[in-house]
Amino acid sequence: MFTTYPKGQSSMGCTQDVDKAIELCLRAGELGSADSYHHLGNLYSNRYVTGYWDVTKAKYYYSLAAIGGCPQARHSLGEIEKGSGNKQRAYKHFLIAARSGWEESLKELKLGYQEGLVTKDEYANALRECQTRRDEIKSDDRERALQICDLLHE
C-alpha cells in the first residue's frame, strides 16, 4: 500500500499524510482488507512515522490482520512474541504463517527446530504445506508482474 520513510517523505519524494493513511487503512480494514490492518501494525511499529514504537497498537492491528488471513501479520506477531521472550508462542505464529505460504516464517522455524522448540514433524509439515501454498499461487502472469515490480524498484 505504502512505504514509510523518515520525515514524512515517500520513495518518490512526495510528502505523506500519516493521519490520512491511518484513516484510510482503518476504513479498508473495516471493509475486510486484512492487508490494511497489517499496514497499520507496520505504522505503529515504525518509529519514523509515529515518533514512537507502540507495541500494543502494533500487536492489536497485526492480530486483526492475522485473523483476517494475512500470513505476514502472523509472522509479525511471531517476531513481537519472540522479542518479548515468548518463544513457544512465537513459534506457533511462525507455524501458522509458514503453513499459509509465508517463507520468512520457515527460516524462523528452522531456528526453532535447531533450538529444540519445534519438532521435526512440525517443521517438515510446515515445509510441505508452505510449498503447496506457493505452488497454488504460481502463474505466468504473477511471475511477469513480479518482474515488472522488481524493475520499477531498481
Side-chain angles (χ1 to χ4, degrees):
M1 178 178 269
F2 53 85
T3 304
T4 54
Y5 292 87
K7 299 179 183 171
Q9 296 294 312
S10 73
S11 63
M12 304 299 228
C14 302
T15 58
Q16 291 184 346
D17 185 344
V18 175
D19 293 331
K20 186 68 172 178
I22 291 170
E23 176 189 330
L24 293 173
C25 282
L26 282 170
R27 181 71 178 126
E30 291 166 1
L31 293 171
S33 173
D35 286 338
S36 292
Y37 283 136
H38 179 247
H39 288 298
L40 281 168
N42 287 341
L43 276 173
Y44 287 108
S45 67
N46 185 338
R47 291 182 193 163
Y48 289 119
V49 176
T50 58
Y52 58 94
W53 195 67
D54 191 335
V55 70
T56 305
K57 284 186 179 180
K59 198 171 177 179
Y60 172 75
Y61 287 115
Y62 285 144
S63 295
L64 289 177
I67 289 167
C70 179
Q72 288 172 287
R74 183 66 70 175
H75 179 86
S76 297
L77 285 170
E79 291 289 345
I80 290 173
E81 293 296 345
K82 186 177 177 183
S84 299
N86 301 326
K87 287 188 175 184
Q88 284 292 359
R89 191 170 183 158
Y91 286 111
K92 287 181 184 180
H93 286 298
F94 294 140
L95 275 168
I96 294 168
R99 288 177 179 154
S100 299
W102 194 247
E103 290 182 18
E104 290 297 314
S105 291
L106 282 177
K107 295 174 187 173
E108 291 293 335
L109 289 176
K110 183 177 182 181
L111 295 173
Y113 173 65
Q114 292 169 344
E115 292 179 22
L117 297 169
V118 176
T119 67
K120 184 177 181 178
D121 286 341
E122 287 174 323
Y123 181 60
N125 288 337
L127 189 59
R128 276 191 298 276
E129 289 182 45
C130 184
Q131 188 58 49
T132 300
R133 297 294 172 269
R134 304 298 294 172
D135 290 343
E136 287 174 355
I137 63 170
K138 266 189 183 172
S139 74
D140 291 336
D141 289 340
R142 185 180 294 271
E143 293 300 319
R144 278 193 296 273
L146 287 173
Q147 288 172 354
I148 290 169
C149 286
D150 288 342
L151 288 173
L152 291 173
H153 291 343
E154 286 182 351

